């Protein structure tokens, strides 16, 4: 059986047993394809590669200047693939078992202050209508709900439509990674922005055109793209006087989580809102918020006030 057939079986396992998203599957494919190209130069493939072959591949990544995190991700893809082959009886040995996995410190996420979020909203408000109203809602949904950009772009229209004379909904269901749903509360600001946007939404469609998406591309039925969201947020950052390198949908999501932790929200709640499978992923926000939390304890805890440096 060719290595291609084994790869197909591996991807089927990832999809069926782990429920990985299309983006995650694509990343696995790209990483393993890069290894296959290197091995081909050594007249090998993934099925026949030895531990020495894999070590040479990882060494070349370092020589070519790949970031440590990229090399670690490709190493992890190889480990997962060969572990699958071994457990499934498709290969007797695991040539990746001896590959060292570097301990990479999780980088602290970038974030914006509450004042900078307000500045972005003000920059959105300065745009002509109906664009201004749509952009304000986009920011309110990403920052107010902690949405991933892919989740924002694919939001369906139906859950947001008021029924009869009812107001817009105060809770929505969002489908995230691994096709997992989570229930999120709409903030009052998001509800207000939504109520303002819905009557203007038809202006983004061609005459008699319909779209199932909350945010259709202008003049098209398909949804806005992640690239469009990224470029638009960076343009708003320039208007707001913020370095555009610091602004993205992901940064708004990080800011949402950090501000919740700073406001003393418990980590389990933040984990649920973000849709993290592992609480360890959410714990990074305790490090981001640590200086402010420490200052808050020192300022307000009675023992901290009683034992300030210099006190007898």
């Amino acid at each position: 059986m060719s290595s291609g057939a084994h790869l197909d079986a591996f991807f089927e396992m990832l999809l069926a047993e782990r429920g990985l998203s299309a983006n995650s599957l694509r990343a696995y494919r790209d990483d393993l394809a890069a290894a296959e190209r290197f091995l081909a130069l050594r007249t090998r493939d993934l099925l026949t590669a030895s531990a020495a072959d894999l070590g040479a591949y990882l060494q070349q990544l370092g020589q070519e200047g790949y970031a440590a995190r990229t090399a670690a991700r490709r190493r992890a893809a190889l480990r997962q693939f060969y572990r699958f082959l071994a457990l499934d009886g498709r290969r007797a040995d695991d040539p990746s078992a001896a590959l060292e996995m570097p301990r990479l410190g999780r980088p602290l996420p970038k974030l914006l202050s509450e004042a900078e979020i307000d500045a972005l909203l003000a920059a959105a408000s300065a745009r002509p209508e109906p664009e201004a109203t749509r952009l304000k809602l986009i920011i309110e949904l990403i920052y107010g709900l902690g949405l991933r950009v892919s989740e924002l772009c694919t939001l369906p229209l139906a859950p947001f439509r008021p029924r009869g004379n009812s107001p817009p909904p105060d809770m929505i269901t969002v489908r995230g990674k691994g096709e997992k749903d989570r229930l999120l509360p709409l903030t009052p600001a998001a509800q207000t922005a939504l109520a303002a946007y819905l009557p203007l939404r038809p202006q983004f469609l061609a005459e008699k055109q319909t779209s199932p998406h909350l945010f259709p591309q202008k003049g098209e039925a398909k949804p806005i793209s992640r690239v469009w969201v990224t470029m638009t947020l960076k343009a708003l950052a320039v208007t707001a006087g913020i370095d555009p390198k610091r602004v993205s949908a992901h940064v708004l999501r990080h800011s949402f989580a950090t501000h919740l932790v700073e406001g003393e929200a418990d980590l389990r709640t933040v984990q649920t809102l973000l849709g993290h499978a592992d609480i360890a992923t959410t714990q990074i926000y305790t490090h981001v918020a640590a200086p402010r939390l420490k200052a808050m304890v020192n300022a307000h805890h009675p023992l901290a006030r009683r034992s300030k440096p210099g006190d007898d």
Side-chain angles (χ1 to χ4, degrees):
M1 187 180 291
S2 68
S3 61
H6 290 289
L7 282 168
D8 289 342
F10 174 61
F11 296 135
E12 287 177 10
M13 181 276 294
L14 292 177
L15 183 63
E17 297 183 14
R18 302 190 187 177
L20 294 190
S21 67
N23 287 339
S24 296
L25 285 173
R26 191 177 301 113
Y28 271 103
R29 287 184 185 277
D30 291 346
D31 288 342
L32 292 174
E36 187 106 90
R37 287 193 295 273
F38 172 84
L39 292 169
L41 298 176
R42 299 168 70 95
T43 65
R44 298 270 194 168
D45 60 18
L46 287 169
L47 193 58
T48 59
S50 66
D53 292 324
L54 299 182
Y57 168 62
L58 296 175
Q59 185 176 13
Q60 178 172 299
L61 292 181
Q63 292 171 349
E64 292 182 356
Y66 279 86
R69 191 159 297 278
T70 300
R73 192 194 67 231
R74 291 190 174 182
R75 183 186 282 107
L78 289 169
R79 289 289 301 274
Q80 292 291 326
F81 175 64
Y82 286 110
R83 189 173 299 165
F84 162 75
L85 293 184
L87 291 175
D88 212 41
R90 296 168 182 263
R91 179 165 170 156
D93 65 326
D94 179 356
S96 71
L99 298 178
E100 294 184 4
M101 296 292 288
R103 295 184 178 274
L104 297 176
R106 188 184 294 272
L108 294 179
K110 300 175 184 176
L111 67 143
L112 300 176
S113 67
E114 293 177 44
E116 288 172 323
I117 298 291
D118 289 339
L120 279 180
L121 286 166
S125 298
R127 293 286 185 94
E129 292 292 3
E131 183 183 4
T133 296
R134 179 165 73 160
L135 291 179
K136 284 189 290 184
L137 177 59
I138 286 173
I139 295 171
E140 292 288 0
L141 290 177
I142 300 175
Y143 172 68
L145 278 70
L147 296 184
R148 299 179 178 93
V149 65
S150 57
E151 295 169 347
L152 173 90
C153 293
T154 56
L155 284 174
L157 171 64
F160 292 89
R161 277 182 170 152
R163 296 182 180 179
N165 295 322
S166 302
D170 57 3
M171 301 287 289
I172 62 164
T173 299
V174 172
R175 177 150 294 181
K177 283 187 175 180
E179 299 298 305
K180 294 180 180 178
D181 292 339
R182 65 187 191 277
L183 189 64
L184 298 177
L186 280 177
T187 64
Q191 287 181 283
T192 299
L194 177 63
Y197 167 71
L198 289 176
L200 301 179
R201 179 180 170 277
Q203 296 184 41
F204 293 98
L205 296 167
E207 188 176 356
K208 297 183 180 180
Q209 188 178 44
T210 61
S211 170
H213 304 289
L214 179 63
F215 296 114
Q217 283 193 32
K218 194 166 185 178
E220 299 186 38
K222 63 184 179 181
I224 55 175
S225 69
R226 292 183 294 175
V227 172
W228 180 87
V229 173
T230 298
M231 299 307 295
T232 300
L233 288 176
K234 290 186 180 300
L236 290 176
V238 172
T239 303
I242 304 170
D243 183 351
K245 294 179 181 178
R246 295 180 54 229
V247 178
S248 68
H250 211 52
V251 169
L252 292 181
R253 175 172 155 89
H254 285 317
S255 302
F256 159 82
T258 303
H259 295 163
L260 281 179
V261 173
E262 288 180 340
E264 302 181 66
D266 68 273
L267 281 181
R268 288 293 180 189
T269 299
V270 177
Q271 178 191 8
T272 299
L273 293 171
L274 291 174
H276 285 163
D278 189 344
I279 189 67
T281 307
T282 315
Q283 285 173 336
I284 187 66
Y285 297 106
T286 62
H287 298 291
V288 177
R292 183 167 168 178
L293 294 174
K294 181 179 178 181
M296 181 181 68
V297 171
N298 288 338
H300 300 292
H301 196 282
L303 288 181
R305 292 200 303 270
R306 204 179 300 166
S307 57
K308 290 181 180 177
D311 289 355
D312 293 329

